[in-house]
Amino acid sequence: MSLNKGHPIMAIPGPTVVPDRVLNAMHRPSANIYEGELVEMTDHLLDQLKKVVRTDGYAAIYLANGHGAWEAAIKNTLNEGDKIVVLSNGFFSHKWGEVAATHKFDVEYIDYGMASDADPARLEEVLRADTDGQIKAVLAVQSETSSSVRNDIPALRAAIDAAGHDALFMVDCIASLGCDRFEMDAWGVDVAVSAGQKGMMNPIGLSFVFFNEKADAARAGANPGQYWDWTDRAKSKSFYPRWSGSPPGHHMFALRETLQMMVDEEGMEAVWARHATISRAVWAAVDVWAEAGALALNITDPAKRATGVTTINTSPGVAHKIRRWCQDEAGVTLGNSLGFPLDEVEDHFRIGHMGHLNIHMVMGVLGAIETAMVAQNIPHGAGALSAAARVLAAHQAI
Ligand SMILES: Cc1ncc(COP(=O)(O)O)c(C=O)c1O
C-alpha cells in the first residue's frame, strides 16, 4: 500500500514548479497574432525582463530552450574560427563550449573541476598571455547547475579589465536568473543568456538573450542566420519580425504573469533574499545529515554555492537510493548526478530549490529525503529538519 498520493513536486533544478496563476494565465484560447494584446505585450515583456537582469541594454526572446540562447549569443557576435575561452566548472559550462565548437569556433577551456568556482587570477593570466588579442569572448556560467558552484561574475569581469583585454564577457544565467543576484550593467557583462523554466517559473520553451552596445557592434561580419539574428527581436518596430514569425502567445501570457509576480509584486531584492534563505536552510539540513558520513555538500564554501540548486556527494549508490525512493514513494523528483566521473553508480544528487517555493515545499522536500534515509537505513545525523527550520524561522522574523 503506497503513501504516494497527493500533489507531486519537482525538486530538480529546472523545470521547476509552475505557479497555478501562471498555468491559469495560459488557459485560454489562442490570441490574434497580428494585432491586439500580443502586439502590445511584446515591449512590456522585454522591459520587464531587463528589470530582472538589471540592464538598460537590449533584450531578445527566442522560442527555444537554453541551448537556443547559447547559440544565439555566440552566433550573433563571433565569426567562424574566432577563439573563445570557456570557464568550465561543470557539465553546462563545458557543454556551452561544445556547442560553440560545433560552430567552428576555436574553443579553449580553463577547467576548474567540479567543485571550485572559476579562479579570476587564472583567467587574467590566460588573457594577459593573449598579446595579439586572438581571444574574442570569455564564456562563464553564473550558477553551474551540475556542481552547484557559483562563479563570482564581478571578480571575473575585474580579471578581464585587469588584463586590459577586449574580449566580450558572456554569462549563462540559465540556472541563476530569479535566484542569485545578477546585475548585468553594473557587473560589466556584455551578453547574458537565460531561459524561462527555472527561477523564472515558466514552462520550457522560451529563452532570453541580453546584450549591450559593445556586443551588438561585434556583430559586424557575424552571420547568425535569420532566425537567430537578435537585431529584429530586440529592435524592430514591426511586430512579426520581433518573434521571427508567429509569436508564442501562451508562453507570453505565462511570462507576463511571472514577471508581474517577480518584478511588480515581490520585487527582485525580495526574490533574491527568499532564495538565499531557502538555500541556507537546505545546506543546514544537509550539514546535519552529513555528520553520519554517507553524504556531504559538494561545494564546501557557502559563499561559492548557487542559491537555486544544491549538489550533494554521497557514498556510491546512496544518491540513487535516495532519489528513487523519493520519486516512487514520496512524490518528490530530485535531480540526478550530472557531469561527475562516476555518474553510473550515482554518487551525487541535486536538490533544486528555485522559483515558486515556500516553507512547506522546502520542508516537504527535506522531510522526504530524510524519510528515504530512514526507510533504507542510510546513516544520517539527527536534527536536520530542525536546523532548516531555524534558518527559515530567522528569515520570517526579519
Ligand atoms: C546553467 C545551465 N545552462 C544551460 C542549460 C541548458 O538549458 P536547456 O536544457 O534548456 O537547453 C541548463 C539546463 O539545465 C543549465 O542549467
Side-chain angles (χ1 to χ4, degrees):
M1 228 185 332
S2 171
L3 293 174
N4 190 9
K5 306 295 170 198
H7 215 301
I9 183 167
M10 288 300 261
I12 65 175
T16 58
V17 172
V18 180
D20 285 348
R21 56 186 276 197
V22 175
L23 291 172
N24 290 338
M26 300 171 74
H27 193 76
R28 51 180 288 182
S30 295
N32 189 346
I33 60 165
Y34 297 108
E35 60 182 39
E37 203 177 1
L38 297 186
V39 179
E40 286 146 25
M41 212 196 291
T42 300
D43 277 334
H44 173 71
L45 294 178
L46 295 172
D47 286 347
Q48 290 279 77
L49 282 169
K50 288 198 258 178
K51 290 179 193 159
V52 175
V53 299
R54 300 215 159 148
T55 184
D56 293 328
Y58 300 103
I61 308 178
Y62 292 85
L63 285 76
N65 59 16
H67 278 64
W70 274 348
E71 295 218 3
I74 51 183
K75 282 171 73 74
N76 272 283
T77 47
L78 304 168
N79 291 298
E80 203 174 299
D82 278 353
K83 183 163 181 180
I84 63 177
V85 168
V86 174
L87 310 184
S88 173
N89 38 16
F91 178 86
F92 291 103
S93 35
H94 200 271
K95 192 83 192 164
W96 197 5
E98 287 172 30
V99 168
T102 67
H103 291 285
K104 301 198 167 49
F105 300 123
D106 175 10
V107 180
E108 176 182 338
Y109 294 97
I110 307 182
D111 192 350
Y112 298 95
M114 289 295 288
S116 305
D117 64 326
D119 173 13
R122 254 179 92 189
L123 172 62
E124 186 180 332
E125 216 174 280
V126 168
L127 294 177
R128 277 189 191 279
D130 181 43
T131 45
D132 54 352
Q134 289 296 307
I135 297 169
K136 301 297 178 204
V138 173
L139 274 52
V141 168
Q142 185 183 18
S143 286
E144 173 49 75
T145 330
S146 58
S147 58
S148 74
V149 76
R150 180 157 50 90
N151 287 318
D152 185 342
I153 301 301
L156 293 170
R157 171 80 254 173
I160 299 172
D161 292 344
H165 205 286
D166 198 36
L168 290 172
F169 186 30
M170 303 196 192
V171 178
D172 169 335
C173 308
I174 291 172
S176 54
L177 202 65
C179 308
D180 297 284
R181 173 179 293 278
F182 183 73
E183 306 205 30
M184 178 167 176
D185 291 358
W187 293 359
V189 174
D190 299 308
V191 180
V193 300
S194 196
Q197 74 267 23
K198 298 181 190 263
M200 301 297 289
M201 308 179 287
N202 266 215
I204 297 168
L206 292 187
S207 56
F208 320 117
V209 178
F210 305 91
F211 56 98
N212 63 13
E213 295 289 356
K214 178 179 172 184
D216 202 27
R219 281 190 89 254
N223 179 15
Q226 190 262 321
Y227 188 81
W228 295 113
D229 196 323
W230 65 29
T231 311
D232 281 344
R233 289 177 188 270
K235 299 179 189 173
S236 179
K237 295 282 172 247
S238 323
F239 174 64
Y240 204 63
R242 297 202 96 165
W243 294 96
S244 198
S246 302
H250 287 87
H251 269 103
M252 292 166 72
F253 295 132
L255 184 60
R256 179 172 60 180
E257 195 69 21
T258 50
L259 287 167
Q260 184 177 327
M261 290 168 71
M262 294 169 74
V263 176
D264 301 330
E265 295 171 16
E266 189 175 1
M268 290 314 298
E269 292 291 340
V271 168
W272 293 327
R274 178 165 54 84
H275 281 84
T277 299
I278 287 173
S279 60
R280 284 192 298 105
V282 170
W283 306 336
V286 179
D287 275 339
V288 174
W289 291 330
E291 288 164 10
L295 52 79
L297 292 163
N298 183 47
I299 305 301
T300 46
D301 181 351
K304 298 186 172 174
R305 293 180 192 146
T307 56
V309 54
T310 295
T311 302
I312 298 163
N313 307 335
T314 72
S315 311
V318 164
H320 183 75
K321 281 185 173 175
I322 291 175
R323 213 168 53 74
R324 276 267 57 91
W325 198 95
C326 284
Q327 175 77 51
D328 297 341
E329 306 295 337
V332 173
T333 305
L334 296 169
N336 59 350
S337 179
L338 206 56
F340 290 92
L342 291 178
D343 273 357
E344 63 280 6
V345 292
E346 275 199 59
D347 52 2
H348 302 79
F349 71 99
R350 294 170 298 148
I351 306 174
H353 35 90
M354 44 175 72
H356 192 54
L357 286 182
N358 57 21
I359 291 177
H360 85 74
M361 295 160 92
V362 178
M363 292 302 273
V365 169
L366 296 174
I369 295 171
E370 179 148 324
T371 313
M373 292 194 283
V374 170
Q376 300 176 101
N377 295 319
I378 296 167
H380 58 281
L385 270 75
S386 299
R390 280 193 291 278
V391 175
L392 296 170
H395 181 97
Q396 294 307 98
I398 293 172

